[in-house]
Amino acid sequence: MNVLIVGGGGRENAIAWKAAQSPRVDKLYCAPGNAGIAEYAECVDIGAMEFEKLASFAKEKEIGLTIVGMDDPLVGGIVDVFEREGLRVFGPRKNAAILEGSKAFSKDLMKKYHIPTAAYENFDDPKAALEYLKTAKYPIVLKADGLALGKGVLICNTPEEARDGVRTIMEDKQFGDAGNRMVIEEFMTGREVSVLSFVDGRTIRTMTSAQDHKRAKDGDQGLNTGGMGTFSPSPFYTKEVDDFCQKYIYQPTVDAMAAEGRTFVGIIFFGLMLTADGPRVLEYNARFGDPEAQVVLPRMKTDMIEIMEACIDGKLADYELEFDDNAAVCVVLASDGYPVSYQKGYEIRGLERFQGRKGFYAFHAGTAFRDGKVVTNGGRVLGVTATGANLKEARANAYQATEWVEFDNKYMRRDIGKAIDEA
Ligand code: AMP
Ligand code: GLY
């Protein structure tokens, strides 16, 4: 079967790498792809939001399965367009992708179905939000309702900061229409963990856990980014935590979506906070995490394509997922200045050193070809990933491999996986 992947980041590079191992796949395409994905897939110059063009391409190339990696096309309804054209596609329809597309929706869903999450209020009027903040407890968390590249969350320590935050989101519209509505929620403390899962509408199968590092700088300082590095599994995600989440969070979420007439097929990503009072949902995403996919997929033994097809066919209950009992760490090599402003177009040297080295991966995020060379083409450039017998070994391997590649303005966090030492 021919398979098309929609997206062009590190996550899609990991998905392409994994898909290429499936005996079910004859030829892989990726739109738009990047210089690393080109090793596994023919990259096609069509944007992820060009749904009609993508559907025509899928028909022309007799694509048997399209995998949508990114949130924007999912929330925008790409799956509905493909299904209308009679094409097989893996991902939630628009009415289900709202689980990620609207934080106000997801909070109301959790409240209605008693799924543990932070206390909150939704606002569509800045005046009402400002009034509410007068009697709120601090710190407090402000969230733009819609998609904001992982940057639409503000943690405010004082009433003044919160007032500025409301203005930033709802009046100055720093996150565009994502800020037409806003969630104000209780600040929680604890360990964060990401759990990704396959869902066929009724059955859910969770993957191994991971932890992201969202802030740009060491010690969780600096601005929020898409993610600067991950490790898997999380040593804090115990059997007891998993049992609780399976019973009170995962299956109830799938059932709630079905009960609302928004049957969810695809990936649900649970962003969790392990608080002193138990696990709570921080957020939902409707796709693989980036860079969570870069540590979860290398540890997955099961054929990903087979599982995706089982989801589409409503047969996930017949399958179990298997993961290696090793560990993986991903360190993002970024362009200095990310997530604010940075230069692109610098040559990347040393990528060949990953070739033939088992357990070492240079997943490309923002890269492109120029004059036969691979050059930097984004804020997050590479997700250097390594496995090891345990987390410490995986981390040592990953940091060693970060030295194999060089490019101007190369920047990375030096403390990815530091929490491992406290486990
Ligand atoms: P989100 O996009 O909703 O996951 O938020 C981005 C980041 O903000 C999360 O990964 C947390 O680090 C932080 N965050 C979000 N909501 C809360 C909360 N209620 N309490 C504390 N931190 C939060
Ligand atoms: N790494 C967080 C995300 O993909 O949203």
Side-chain angles (χ1 to χ4, degrees):
M1 156 173 87
N2 295 338
V3 172
L4 169 66
I5 298 167
V6 178
R11 166 182 49 213
E12 287 76 25
N13 194 165
I15 293 172
W17 168 83
K18 183 69 181 157
Q21 291 163 39
S22 172
R24 296 176 173 230
V25 175
D26 294 317
K27 185 159 171 60
L28 263 181
Y29 295 91
C30 188
N34 64 34
I37 294 171
E39 192 179 321
Y40 309 100
E42 185 177 324
C43 295
V44 196
D45 192 16
I46 307 177
M49 296 306 284
E50 298 183 275
F51 302 164
E52 304 293 341
K53 265 196 194 171
L54 288 168
S56 303
F57 177 83
K59 280 191 198 162
E60 182 195 318
K61 299 292 182 188
E62 299 180 339
I63 301 290
L65 173 68
T66 297
I67 303 166
V68 186
M70 298 167 70
D71 46 2
D72 285 305
L74 288 169
V75 170
I78 188 172
V79 169
D80 306 60
V81 171
F82 270 59
E83 285 184 347
R84 199 171 61 223
E85 298 294 329
L87 292 159
R88 258 164 93 77
V89 53
F90 178 76
R93 292 182 186 149
K94 186 174 184 172
N95 77 348
I98 190 174
L99 190 62
E100 171 165 7
S102 166
K103 290 191 191 288
F105 168 86
S106 74
K107 295 296 290 188
D108 286 347
L109 185 88
M110 288 186 266
K111 187 190 223 170
K112 182 168 170 189
Y113 292 91
H114 310 293
I115 297 166
T117 188
Y120 75 101
E121 292 285 336
N122 293 337
F123 295 92
D124 48 23
D125 168 22
K127 281 202 201 76
L130 291 169
E131 197 54 40
Y132 175 84
L133 288 170
K134 286 185 185 161
T135 55
K137 263 185 33 201
Y138 291 82
I140 200 156
V141 185
L142 312 188
K143 300 186 174 187
D145 177 49
L147 296 181
L149 295 170
K151 292 162 199 158
V153 173
L154 306 176
I155 294 171
C156 305
N157 290 307
T158 62
E160 294 71 43
E161 271 180 46
R163 280 200 295 275
D164 284 347
V166 170
R167 293 193 187 105
T168 304
I169 293 174
M170 296 194 95
E171 288 173 358
D172 304 343
K173 290 281 169 73
Q174 192 168 322
F175 311 106
D177 285 345
N180 289 349
R181 296 179 82 191
M182 198 177 78
V183 176
I184 301 188
E185 78 175 23
E186 168 201 4
F187 177 76
M188 301 188 287
T189 52
R191 300 262 177 209
E192 281 189 48
V193 52
S194 304
V195 175
L196 318 186
S197 65
F198 289 97
V199 180
D200 75 353
R202 273 177 308 172
T203 301
I204 176 162
R205 291 278 183 263
T206 49
M207 295 177 235
T208 181
S209 61
Q211 185 179 320
D212 192 11
H213 300 68
K214 289 213 167 90
R215 303 291 201 93
K217 302 225 161 86
D218 283 14
D220 291 329
Q221 302 295 309
L223 294 173
N224 260 328
T225 68
M228 293 300 291
T230 39
F231 59 83
S232 171
S234 163
F236 310 103
Y237 190 79
T238 59
K239 167 92 175 51
E240 192 190 0
V241 172
D242 184 58
D243 287 345
F244 178 94
C245 295
Q246 298 285 352
K247 189 165 170 199
Y248 296 107
I249 294 178
Y250 305 150
Q251 190 68 50
T253 299
V254 175
D255 295 344
M257 290 298 281
E260 293 292 308
R262 298 174 180 274
T263 301
F264 193 106
V265 178
I267 304 283
I268 299 183
F269 167 145
F270 298 87
L272 304 171
M273 181 82 93
L274 309 182
T275 74
D277 300 323
R280 300 277 182 272
V281 178
L282 276 172
E283 65 159 350
Y284 294 113
N285 295 313
R287 34 96 193 154
F288 279 100
D290 188 350
E292 280 86 346
Q294 289 88 314
V295 286
V296 168
L297 290 176
R299 299 186 53 228
M300 184 168 160
K301 292 203 242 179
T302 318
D303 182 341
M304 177 189 73
I305 298 292
E306 193 175 349
I307 295 296
M308 288 177 168
E309 294 215 275
C311 289
I312 296 172
D313 296 332
K315 295 201 171 124
L316 189 58
D318 298 343
Y319 294 82
E320 295 293 338
L321 305 180
E322 262 195 284
F323 288 85
D324 276 331
D325 53 17
N326 63 3
V329 171
C330 169
V331 179
V332 170
L333 302 188
S335 304
D336 198 11
Y338 171 74
V340 182
S341 66
Y342 47 84
Q343 309 282 318
K344 302 194 271 193
Y346 297 114
E347 184 185 347
I348 305 172
R349 296 171 302 273
L351 288 166
E352 69 288 347
R353 298 185 66 181
F354 285 83
Q355 241 128 52
R357 284 188 130 131
K358 208 169 169 291
F360 290 90
Y361 313 86
F363 292 122
H364 291 223
T367 69
F369 287 115
R370 203 183 60 197
D371 305 329
K373 291 181 174 142
V374 179
V375 298
T376 64
N377 193 39
R380 292 191 291 178
V381 177
L382 295 168
V384 171
T385 303
T387 55
N390 53 48
L391 283 164
K392 283 190 179 164
E393 202 180 299
R395 180 176 57 184
N397 288 343
Y399 272 106
Q400 183 199 351
T402 61
E403 302 302 327
W404 299 347
V405 266
E406 284 307 327
F407 55 87
D408 287 354
N409 289 353
K410 171 177 146 186
Y411 170 79
M412 72 183 116
R413 272 182 65 162
R414 296 276 169 190
D415 64 347
I416 300 302
K418 193 156 178 277
I420 297 164
D421 300 330
E422 295 153 30

